[in-house]
Amino acid sequence: MNKKYLTMLILFACTSHVQAVDFNQLYQSWSGASLVSPSASKGQELWEYELIPGKSCASCHGSDLSQSGSHTKTNKLIKPLSPNTNSKRLTKVSKINKWLKRNCKFTYKRECTPEEKVNFIEFIRTN
């Protein structure tokens, strides 16, 4: 095999490997010493909650996380959030943190609390 193609194959194999997120460690990084107990049902309540009338997580992502959604302002397509449907979801801690921060500020006009983050992720993981 040509060295050039072998090198490309090795690089592809290294970058395409997805390392599983340790959610317990992630949750602890958000909450520090105080352990937050994950609750998918509380996450679902938060998902549908409208602090601002007409604006909730479900407004853009929908209630069925296995389906695509659409941003309420831009109409941009949002791929399914369910990891069971979209294998790229919840695979990188940096993206989880980025999108939670951005979406909490958009939806609630503030960053989410550690407990809210944990419950959102549990809701997403189980749907």
Side-chain angles (χ1 to χ4, degrees), residues 10-104:
I10 291 170
L11 286 174
F12 177 75
C14 291
T15 58
S16 65
H17 173 71
V18 177
Q19 190 160 357
V21 172
D22 181 343
F23 289 99
N24 289 327
Q25 184 178 10
L26 178 61
Y27 297 165
Q28 190 171 12
S29 75
W30 290 334
S31 60
S34 59
L35 188 60
V36 175
S37 194
S39 170
S41 61
K42 285 183 183 177
Q44 183 173 11
E45 289 173 21
L46 287 167
W47 191 262
E48 297 166 358
Y49 178 68
E50 293 182 4
L51 179 67
I52 300 166
K55 196 184 259 192
S56 69
C57 300
S59 301
C60 293
H61 294 281
S63 296
D64 182 354
L65 303 186
S66 67
Q67 301 296 312
S68 294
S70 157
H71 194 278
T72 56
K73 253 185 167 175
T74 65
N75 279 336
K76 183 179 177 183
L77 176 73
I78 302 171
K79 293 181 182 176
L81 203 52
S82 171
N84 297 324
T85 305
N86 185 346
S87 62
K88 292 182 180 179
R89 295 299 191 186
L90 303 180
T91 57
K92 293 183 179 178
V93 171
S94 61
K95 283 194 173 193
I96 293 169
N97 286 322
K98 170 188 169 182
W99 285 107
L100 277 173
K101 183 175 183 177
R102 185 176 292 179
N103 287 340
C104 286

